Amino acid sequence: MLRIGVDVGGTNTDGVLIDASRTAEPNRGVLAHYKAPTTPNVSAGIELAVRQVLEASNVSSSSISCVSIGTTAFVNAVLEADSRRMEKVAVIRLCGPYTQQCPPFIDFPPALKVLTDGYVGYLDGGFEIDGREIVPLKEEQVIEQCKIIREKGLRNVVIVGIFSPLDNDGKQESRAKTIVERELGPKVNVVCSRDVGQVGLLERENASILNAAILNFARRTINGFKSAMRFLNLTCPLFLTQNDGTLTSAATAANLPIRTFASGPTNSMRGAAFLAGLDESNEAYRGKPIIVVDIGGTTTDVGVLLPSGFPRQAAAFIEIGGVRTNFSMADVQSIGLGGGSRVRVSAHDEELRVSIGPDSVGHNLTKEAKVFGGNVLTATDIVVAGGAARLGDAEQVADVEAMLVQKAQAAIKKLLEGIIDKMKTSPENVTILLVGGGSIVAPEALSGVSEIVRPPFFSVANAVGAAMAKVAGEVDTIQILQGRHIDDVINIIKDQAIQKSIRSGAREGQSMSIYICGRYVVTVLNSVTETVKIVEVANYPVQVPNIFSAGDLSTEAAIEELILLDDDNPAEDAWLDEAPKLALEQMQDSTSRVIDIEAYKPAIDDNRLWILSELDLDWIAEGCGVLGTGGGGSPYPPFLVARHLLREGKQIKVVDPEDVPETATFMRCMFMGSPSVSTERLQGGSEIPASLRALMKYMGLKDFAGVISDEIGGGNGLQPTILAAEMDRPVLDADLMGRAYPNAIILPSASDRYSVENILRTVTTEMGSRSGVSMAPLSRITCQTYGLPHSVSQAWRIGRAIAICRRKNDMKNIPAAILELQNGACLFVGKIVGVQREVRQGFTWGSVTIVPLQPDEEEDISGTSLGTSWGPEDQVVIPFQNENLYVVRKSPGVQDHVIVTVPDLITVLDSQSGSSIGTQEYRYGLRVTVIALAGHPKWTQTPEGLACGGPAAFGLHDVPFQPIADYREPQSVVQEFL
């Protein structure tokens, strides 16, 4: 089978012809390869590359089985915030009274926000987690929004509804799309978020916005690919490679280009591994993690190959151009460094300063670079001027000063060392596979790198990866069981995936691989239905969402894909020159400044008030996640809300309990309900204030001294900061739990704490398993007596410790850094292989199963000191009820053993990032580290604390509580830094 792989980058278009039946030969089956500059006319660049490999191999176009194309063009548009390729987007949220406090674009970097934020509208709509409509969609509201969008001249619309992945009947997003298309006409692109991503409203919405913003550019580009195929008389199937390294049809990619965003880097990693022989268990690299560095003309993409040859999976969340999404893809980081990167020179205090990129001359390298007769100084010019490469006319750069060359080379070296260091999880030196046409700009040696390997055909590794990709069928769905068994449902979906892969071009009749790496199940019980979500299935080489069927290509299938796209978006000659690029380089996020975090000191004013900065807030959010033990809701949305308030000029102040009169009154605030709901039904802004005002009115309370959270854990730990900013009151450096807990704490003055909890939970369940709550206000002395002082400080310190480890790229020591702040133990390092969860009675119930990493999955955990030894067949099971309740060790032939229980804190960390993972975020394949921290003596050493928060409170009546360690009192930030 003869396959052509093409990679269309911002600078070069690479082509390769591979005979898949000769991959065992020394040349790995590569019959021909070619590299040509990416041209403004896409068709011409592809046509030239493909024609050259056909002529060089003396192969006719009729012999080709398929053409597979990978490209970084789409993601480059986002990374460069390119105004020529990105368009403004109107976002319509179907949300009823919710989500407005966390609006669309809230976490977009300034430059991208300017380019994409066209309009935001909030409409009735959305679903509860049990499938009920929050509010039915109203057609007249959609029509009114269409009038506004038409007046603004916007061509791209995103429709996103709360829990829209539940809407298999098309009641809301699909219906709204039909109305918008009817009102605005066929020239307007309408993207439904449920077609782009799964549960996680903000992340799904972000991905949908990025998808819509580049949609017209993507369609022009793909039509260019089609034109090249027609011109070459190629009648074989045309595919594009996806984020996971599999293939998708051109028609699908034209509607969902975001699924190809990471295809270039993924192809590069697969191609590099293939060319280096890692798929043949090359002994030279056995047992070593290897970093692949792909330097193109515009960007450098860096990823990690595990000893198995599989790319390392990204953390639970991944950022694209600074925008948070929840796609599963290879852990690849990109920087604006390539052969075409612009070199800028300036003088400051008579000192020569040199910067590289992030913008590039791209495909115009052979026109604009000095060595090719142009007048733009590029990274390629620097390496030629320094004698490290022979390219173009060296005389053209003979006048470049030696000092400038030296500083530019140092800048390139620093950029590469920085991104490589960022990808490490330990400080040890690593081996890198260096590929890509722009790799000539890399120095011969890099700090932190033990060996630099350039495999054969390194300059076209991306095209090789594209050529060797497999076709796949994907099914991404949420099903209503209604009496069906989940295994029967999965078998139906498996059959659908097989048929979809065949329709996409897989060979029918041959064996296919079905990749189901585990179940992520959400069950919502009520009197009518059970709702089950099935996701998280993997396919070589990386884990990807959903259920996949992968098979070899058929030479007959999918030919019709060549004519599925219409000509409304013709390939344009001015592909990269549509309009002047806006000057957005000067727009910087206020958090993008490099801060010496080890030397950073928080601001304490003359009144002994701690004035929070964005960095403080970030660290507190990180620490709240750890103290949340899986519950309390995600800290990310409330962090964004609080940060937004800071950027609007409001202040968030924290006061030490010792600086407040004993009788001062503090209002309590929190959200009650299931963490699984918090990822979708974001706060509208009125829930907690409304409950607080109602309580104050009922009690006749005119004023209060400040606010305090019932639980510091998770998103609830940040809710007081929002109220503090809005009401100009301080946050008390304390909380009432020292963690997150599924049972509300009712003080001894309440006659029956369980009945109060049950009433609140019942109401919360009816309200969609999430409600804003203000409990009875407390005096400072009561907060301090029954609560935990300085828990906000403790959250800040934990977040700071994690940040310092990240800055040092010392991820494996994050558990140890946390344990330096609170006594406890690191229990287990492994991979999630099973998740079960259900939402009932206002809680998220379930368990997560974790197994040890296999030898070829381990990078380096030598610095992680585990509290106990583990065998290769052991498992850890952690049951949870919103929060993690206890840890069970399961070993073959041995009775199950409970290692640690509440009220000690059990936290699961993402091993890739060090961040905590909420129970609602558990999914198959995540590499995790389990730690346990000592609970406060008020929980662990009093009958009352153990009665409502110990093992017996959660059904473990025969398991005595054994503390993991002695509790260490946290230190006040105010007292330390005053």
Side-chain angles (χ1 to χ4, degrees):
M1 178 182 285
L2 300 180
R3 301 180 180 180
I4 290 178
V6 179
D7 175 72
V8 182
T11 303
N12 293 308
T13 296
D14 304 334
V16 64
L17 176 60
I18 295 180
D19 187 339
S21 66
R22 297 170 60 183
T23 57
E25 298 179 7
N27 69 348
R28 306 293 283 152
V30 177
L31 304 183
H33 69 282
Y34 186 76
K35 180 181 291 290
T38 295
T39 56
N41 186 324
V42 184
S43 304
I46 296 178
E47 186 272 332
L48 179 59
V50 174
R51 183 182 298 279
Q52 289 295 328
V53 297
L54 289 174
E55 292 179 355
S57 59
N58 196 28
V59 170
S60 69
S61 59
S62 61
S63 302
I64 303 302
S65 299
C66 67
V67 174
S68 306
I69 298 177
T71 179
T72 62
F74 305 149
V75 73
N76 282 348
V78 176
L79 293 175
E80 298 178 25
D82 193 339
S83 60
R84 302 167 300 174
R85 302 164 177 167
M86 302 190 73
E87 299 178 358
K88 288 189 179 294
V89 177
V91 179
I92 297 176
R93 269 198 191 168
L94 311 180
C95 58
Y98 305 115
T99 81
Q100 295 189 34
Q101 199 172 26
C102 196
F105 306 99
I106 189 172
D107 60 346
F108 272 50
L112 273 180
K113 190 173 189 296
V114 167
L115 291 179
T116 57
D117 187 355
Y119 172 71
V120 173
Y122 302 96
L123 277 66
D124 286 344
F127 290 85
E128 304 288 11
I129 194 171
D130 59 4
R132 293 177 297 158
E133 288 184 301
I134 296 173
V135 187
L137 180 71
K138 293 182 173 60
E139 181 172 348
E140 60 271 20
Q141 291 182 355
V142 181
I143 293 173
E144 184 63 30
Q145 294 299 308
C146 289
K147 293 177 181 178
I148 298 172
I149 292 169
R150 184 186 298 110
E151 291 172 357
K152 291 181 174 293
L154 300 173
R155 299 195 297 168
N156 306 289
V157 180
V158 165
I159 301 173
V160 55
I162 296 174
F163 277 117
S164 63
L166 292 170
D167 185 13
N168 289 320
D169 297 329
K171 291 181 179 179
Q172 293 199 359
E173 281 194 359
S174 296
R175 182 179 166 218
K177 178 180 180 179
T178 300
I179 298 170
V180 172
E181 289 177 335
R182 183 193 71 203
E183 295 295 315
L184 298 181
K187 298 297 183 180
V188 171
N189 303 313
V190 184
V191 176
C192 291
S193 75
R194 71 183 311 275
D195 296 331
V196 176
Q198 268 294 339
V199 172
L201 184 138
L202 196 62
E203 293 80 13
R204 182 175 74 251
E205 179 180 74
N206 287 347
S208 300
I209 291 170
L210 294 180
N211 188 81
I214 63 163
L215 207 48
N216 285 318
F217 168 64
R219 288 175 175 171
R220 291 195 301 270
T221 303
I222 292 173
N223 273 349
F225 299 165
K226 289 170 48 188
S227 298
M229 294 277 289
R230 293 191 185 103
F231 193 77
L232 290 166
N233 295 317
L234 284 166
T235 57
C236 59
L238 169 64
F239 297 99
L240 269 72
T241 55
Q242 301 189 95
N243 298 329
D244 63 331
T246 61
L247 300 173
T248 187
S249 68
T252 300
N255 289 320
L256 293 170
I258 195 168
R259 293 190 178 179
T260 72
F261 267 25
S263 66
T266 303
N267 290 339
S268 174
M269 296 179 71
R270 291 197 64 193
F274 176 81
L275 293 172
L278 298 188
D279 61 327
E280 302 295 335
S281 300
N282 192 318
E283 292 294 331
Y285 307 116
R286 180 180 292 275
K288 298 180 181 178
I290 296 173
I291 291 181
V292 177
V293 179
D294 177 16
I295 307 178
T298 303
T299 61
T300 293
D301 303 314
V302 182
V304 177
L305 284 173
L306 298 175
S308 63
F310 287 72
R312 184 174 74 188
Q313 186 186 14
F317 299 99
I318 190 167
E319 290 189 353
I320 301 174
V323 178
R324 173 167 154 139
T325 68
N326 58 0
F327 278 168
S328 271
M329 60 179 68
D331 187 7
V332 176
Q333 297 289 329
S334 301
I335 57 172
L337 171 66
S341 294
R342 293 176 182 265
V343 179
R344 290 183 172 84
V345 183
S346 61
H348 183 74
D349 294 335
E350 299 184 355
E351 178 187 357
L352 188 68
R353 292 190 175 182
V354 179
S355 63
I356 310 291
D359 55 335
S360 168
V361 297
H363 70 288
N364 289 319
L365 178 68
T366 55
K367 298 178 182 177
E368 297 186 13
K370 283 182 172 293
V371 292
F372 296 112
N375 57 9
V376 178
L377 186 64
T378 68
T380 297
D381 296 317
I382 294 300
V383 295
V384 173
R390 294 182 179 180
L391 194 66
D393 183 3
E395 290 298 320
Q396 298 293 328
V397 291
D399 60 342
V400 178
E401 297 179 7
M403 180 59 70
L404 191 159
V405 172
Q406 181 181 347
K407 285 183 174 289
Q409 289 175 333
I412 292 172
K413 185 171 184 289
K414 183 178 180 180
L415 285 169
L416 287 174
E417 290 173 348
I419 190 64
I420 291 170
D421 207 40
K422 185 176 181 181
M423 295 302 292
K424 292 182 182 180
T425 56
S426 66
E428 285 75 19
N429 291 350
V430 296
T431 298
I432 69 169
L433 289 179
L434 186 61
V435 297
S439 60
I440 61 170
V441 307
E444 292 299 318
L446 292 164
S447 176
V449 174
S450 59
E451 181 183 12
I452 298 177
V453 178
R454 285 183 170 90
F457 307 108
F458 67 87
S459 66
V460 292
N462 274 0
V464 171
M468 298 307 296
K470 291 185 177 182
V471 69
E474 172 188 359
V475 177
D476 183 357
T477 182
I478 296 177
Q479 294 288 321
I480 305 296
L481 289 185
Q482 290 183 328
R484 297 180 296 172
H485 193 277
I486 186 172
D487 290 336
D488 295 333
V489 174
I490 289 178
N491 286 332
I492 293 172
I493 296 174
K494 285 163 60 176
D495 291 339
Q496 292 173 353
I498 291 173
Q499 294 305 313
K500 195 169 185 178
S501 65
I502 292 172
R503 291 195 301 271
S504 297
R507 186 182 299 277
E508 187 173 8
Q510 292 193 352
S511 61
M512 295 187 185
S513 300
I514 306 294
Y515 300 95
I516 304 180
C517 296
R519 299 175 185 172
Y520 168 52
V521 180
V522 176
T523 306
V524 182
L525 297 181
N526 56 34
S527 59
V528 182
T529 65
E530 295 178 348
T531 301
V532 179
K533 174 184 176 185
I534 306 165
V535 300
E536 307 317 332
V537 182
N539 180 34
Y540 181 84
V542 294
Q543 270 123 17
V544 296
N546 321 319
I547 292 183
F548 275 80
S549 168
D552 290 329
L553 287 165
S554 166
T555 56
E556 294 84 15
I559 296 177
E560 68 273 11
E561 296 293 356
L562 286 173
I563 58 175
L564 284 181
L565 295 176
D566 59 37
D567 292 325
D568 286 342
N569 291 278
E572 297 178 4
D573 290 343
W575 180 51
L576 297 177
D577 299 307
E578 295 146 336
K581 186 177 179 181
L582 294 178
L584 299 172
E585 290 84 355
Q586 301 304 316
M587 298 191 64
Q588 295 293 327
D589 193 323
S590 61
T591 60
S592 65
R593 302 187 307 272
V594 177
I595 298 174
D596 185 350
I597 58 178
E598 293 187 75
Y600 174 81
K601 294 183 179 181
I604 313 297
D605 70 9
D606 295 339
N607 297 317
R608 293 177 58 91
L609 290 172
W610 175 13
I611 311 301
L612 297 189
S613 67
E614 289 189 20
L615 184 62
D616 294 327
L617 196 63
D618 187 20
W619 289 353
I620 291 171
E622 193 78 66
C624 285
V626 173
L627 295 173
T629 65
S634 170
Y636 189 64
F639 160 73
L640 292 177
V641 174
R643 188 183 69 178
H644 181 67
L645 292 170
L646 286 182
R647 292 180 176 181
E648 288 186 334
K650 297 185 183 298
Q651 276 193 339
I652 301 175
K653 297 166 285 191
V654 178
V655 63
D656 191 281
E658 299 298 331
D659 296 329
V660 181
E662 290 186 357
T663 58
T665 300
F666 283 84
M667 302 301 295
R668 301 155 62 188
C669 62
M670 61 181 290
F671 273 93
M672 175 177 281
S674 164
S676 297
V677 177
S678 67
T679 60
E680 279 284 328
R681 214 184 75 183
L682 308 178
Q683 57 202 72
S686 62
E687 299 95 329
I688 290 177
S691 66
L692 186 145
R693 286 192 296 269
L695 181 62
M696 291 180 66
K697 181 179 179 180
Y698 176 79
M699 298 183 65
L701 193 62
K702 301 299 183 182
D703 200 3
F704 58 95
V707 289
I708 183 174
S709 178
D710 272 39
E711 56 183 19
I712 191 66
N716 272 334
L718 289 167
Q719 292 301 332
T721 65
I722 298 172
L723 272 181
E726 292 178 333
M727 298 186 170
D728 193 26
R729 294 291 189 276
V731 177
L732 189 66
D733 188 2
D735 79 303
L736 301 181
M737 298 189 192
R739 50 170 298 146
Y741 244 132
N743 293 330
I745 299 302
I746 307 300
L747 298 175
S749 58
S751 60
D752 186 344
R753 62 176 178 267
Y754 295 110
S755 64
V756 175
E757 168 74 19
N758 290 337
I759 291 170
L760 289 173
R761 287 286 170 185
T762 301
V763 173
T764 295
T765 300
E766 183 60 28
M767 295 174 67
S769 293
R770 193 167 196 238
S771 62
V773 177
S774 292
M775 297 291 193
L778 304 173
S779 66
R780 189 275 292 173
I781 191 62
T782 303
C783 291
Q784 198 166 359
T785 301
Y786 291 96
L788 281 72
H790 305 135
S791 53
V792 177
S793 291
Q794 182 74 333
W796 180 87
R797 294 183 190 281
I798 291 173
R800 179 178 181 270
I802 294 172
I804 290 174
C805 287
R806 285 180 185 153
R807 182 65 59 89
K808 296 178 178 178
N809 299 293
D810 196 8
M811 303 298 183
K812 67 181 182 181
N813 279 327
I814 285 178
I818 295 172
L819 292 171
E820 289 180 2
L821 298 168
Q822 184 54 265
N823 297 325
C826 182
L827 302 178
F828 194 76
V829 177
K831 178 178 70 173
I832 294 177
V833 296
V835 181
Q836 292 183 337
R837 65 167 67 81
E838 57 179 323
V839 178
R840 56 182 168 87
Q841 299 174 346
F843 296 105
T844 295
W845 308 71
S847 65
V848 59
T849 301
I850 310 169
V851 300
L853 297 175
Q854 298 300 312
D856 62 355
E857 294 178 311
E858 295 178 358
E859 292 181 63
D860 185 0
I861 62 169
S862 58
T864 304
S865 178
L866 300 180
T868 184
S869 59
W870 296 87
E873 297 183 13
D874 290 344
Q875 291 185 346
V876 157
V877 176
I878 306 177
F880 52 81
Q881 181 185 337
N882 281 8
E883 287 76 39
N884 302 314
L885 300 180
Y886 52 96
V887 177
V888 181
R889 175 174 181 163
K890 292 179 174 289
S891 302
V894 179
Q895 185 176 359
D896 293 352
H897 172 60
V898 177
I899 300 174
V900 62
T901 74
V902 289
D904 283 337
L905 286 70
I906 302 162
T907 294
V908 179
L909 304 176
D910 186 329
S911 297
Q912 301 296 102
S913 68
S915 293
S916 65
I917 305 174
T919 56
Q920 75 278 7
E921 296 163 350
Y922 292 159
R923 59 181 171 83
Y924 182 91
L926 282 182
R927 295 162 179 268
V928 297
T929 301
V930 183
I931 64 173
L933 304 176
H936 195 280
K938 292 172 184 176
W939 287 107
T940 63
Q941 297 179 15
T942 65
E944 295 84 0
L946 288 172
C948 64
F954 300 98
L956 296 179
H957 299 286
D958 299 328
V959 178
F961 172 70
Q962 296 291 334
I964 193 72
D966 293 332
Y967 184 79
R968 181 188 304 175
E969 292 287 346
Q971 185 179 4
S972 166
V973 166
V974 171
Q975 293 176 18
E976 179 183 357
F977 292 99
L978 182 64

